[in-house]
Amino acid sequence: MPKTSFRKNSDSPKPREIVSELLKKGYSVSRNIVRYLLKKHEYVKRKAQKNITMGGHPDRNAQFENITQLKQDYLDAGNPVISMDTKKKALLGTFYRNGSLYTQAAIQTNDHDFPSSATGSVIPHGFYDLKRNTGYITLGTSHDTSEFACDSLFQWWVNEGIIHYPKAKSLLILCDGGGSNSSRHYIFKEDLQKTANALGLEIRIAHYPPYTSQYNPIEHRFFPHVTRACEGVVFDSVETVKTLISRTSTSKGLTTIVQILDKIYETGRKYAADFKEIMPIVFDTHLPKWNYRAIPQE
């Protein structure tokens, strides 16, 4: 095929455009021939992949090794290992959603996604049980705060965790370093300690290093399947979202439980003035900013 003036990435011409360019140079070919030649020379349609790390940290590998060891230790001891994260908040109403469905009539949605037109919002907070290959989603209707994250954890444990791990001595939670469970915020540690006290269970946190959230198991073992289960369906109510996510499953045995947590959460909360001085949170000697335990207090 003669060379054209198209650049590899910035223009990415379509077959019809290549045909047009070749015609200008005196070559008459069909689109099928162009497609055949593109395939022959290994030009195929590709989606961009988020694989370029935006930043690094000198302790990145050390924390990954630490997480690997912690997971193995907990699994060997019969204690639960849970991956935790929050999916993007979604507006409730007649809003367009990506995906398609088999229907007998067209699906009509608003031509603009104005938040003012929403009837509410839903925040899916998720847990993924690494051993049992099960997902648990708490649907919040307020704000994604540390209190919401810890209430979701409480609900998971009383509804699922204690049933399947009645002899557990400690719970390992793998999570990102930002958001409602930020490794930098003491309000999360304070709420976590309250949760440990209420459950009477030690809770160990291991944060993934910055820019590595894609390695958190929930991100590739559970959330993509949740997204697939909801494709193309209008989120007209919290109950609809619950029904859709409850259907999340795979041929390899993934199952999902969904609960609604209809509670108002305050934003901008501050931890108690003396919490840092008296907190019972136990930080590991190795990479303490990412690894710590909330031990229940009497």
Side-chain angles (χ1 to χ4, degrees):
M1 182 185 295
K3 293 183 178 179
T4 69
S5 60
F6 292 116
R7 296 186 295 275
K8 287 184 179 179
N9 298 319
S10 58
D11 289 335
S12 185
K14 296 178 174 61
R16 62 178 176 80
E17 295 172 328
I18 295 176
V19 168
S20 178
E21 280 291 306
L22 291 174
L23 282 173
K24 293 177 184 178
K25 298 178 182 296
Y27 299 94
S28 179
V29 296
S30 68
R31 293 186 192 179
N32 287 338
I33 292 297
V34 170
R35 293 191 184 98
Y36 167 77
L37 291 173
L38 286 172
K39 183 177 181 181
K40 179 180 179 181
H41 293 280
E42 299 183 352
Y43 283 92
V44 296
K45 282 188 174 182
R46 306 179 193 274
K47 287 185 177 181
Q49 300 179 9
K50 296 182 179 181
N51 290 330
I52 300 175
T53 303
M54 292 296 293
H57 193 283
D59 294 323
R60 180 179 186 272
N61 289 340
Q63 179 62 354
F64 271 97
E65 292 173 357
N66 184 56
I67 288 175
T68 297
Q69 186 61 55
L70 283 172
K71 285 195 297 185
Q72 193 60 55
D73 290 346
Y74 269 68
L75 291 173
D76 289 346
N79 287 323
V81 179
I82 304 299
S83 175
M84 176 175 78
D85 200 8
T86 307
K87 281 181 68 65
K88 182 181 179 181
K89 179 172 72 173
L91 295 176
L92 297 176
T94 317
F95 299 109
Y96 172 83
R97 289 181 51 77
N98 288 329
S100 58
L101 302 170
Y102 286 102
T103 66
Q104 292 182 314
I107 302 172
Q108 304 293 338
T109 62
N110 299 342
D111 57 355
H112 288 82
D113 294 341
F114 294 130
S116 58
S117 301
T119 58
S121 62
V122 61
I123 305 166
H125 187 280
F127 295 95
Y128 174 71
D129 186 329
L130 274 67
K131 180 179 179 180
R132 299 183 57 249
N133 189 30
T134 58
Y136 187 95
I137 293 279
T138 301
L139 298 176
T141 57
S142 179
H143 300 285
D144 184 21
T145 66
S146 64
E147 186 181 9
F148 170 56
C150 289
D151 282 352
S152 298
L153 172 59
F154 183 91
Q155 293 296 324
W156 172 80
W157 178 254
V158 298
N159 290 324
E160 284 290 302
I162 196 171
I163 296 173
H164 300 287
Y165 301 97
K167 297 181 180 180
K169 303 298 183 182
S170 182
L171 165 65
L172 172 61
I173 299 180
L174 310 177
C175 56
D176 301 343
S180 56
N181 50 247
S182 174
S183 61
R184 302 182 303 277
H185 296 165
Y186 280 92
I187 186 64
F188 172 63
K189 295 177 177 65
E190 183 178 47
D191 289 338
L192 186 72
Q193 184 62 57
K194 292 177 182 178
T195 304
N197 294 346
L199 296 177
L201 177 72
E202 177 185 278
I203 303 172
R204 173 181 279 279
I205 297 292
H207 292 281
Y208 280 88
Y211 306 105
T212 63
S213 60
Q214 69 270 28
Y215 296 104
N216 194 355
I218 196 171
E219 294 290 347
H220 50 87
R221 296 188 189 178
F222 182 43
F223 278 169
H225 304 297
V226 173
T227 299
R228 188 190 68 248
C230 298
E231 283 182 339
V233 183
V234 175
F235 283 1
D236 54 11
S237 69
V238 180
E239 288 72 22
T240 295
V241 180
K242 178 181 178 181
T243 300
L244 290 169
I245 296 180
S246 296
R247 298 173 181 171
T248 302
S249 62
T250 67
S251 59
K252 294 185 178 180
L254 174 69
T255 57
T256 305
I257 295 175
V258 186
Q259 298 291 338
I260 297 173
L261 186 54
D262 194 11
K263 176 180 175 180
I264 303 299
Y265 290 97
E266 176 188 354
T267 59
R269 287 174 55 237
K270 305 294 183 182
Y271 58 85
D274 60 347
F275 176 72
K276 289 180 67 175
E277 287 71 32
I278 65 173
M279 67 174 176
I281 296 289
V282 178
F283 292 88
D284 289 8
T285 55
H286 180 56
L287 302 175
K289 60 186 174 182
W290 293 331
N291 304 281
Y292 47 88
R293 292 175 293 147
I295 300 174
Q297 305 294 298
E298 296 182 359

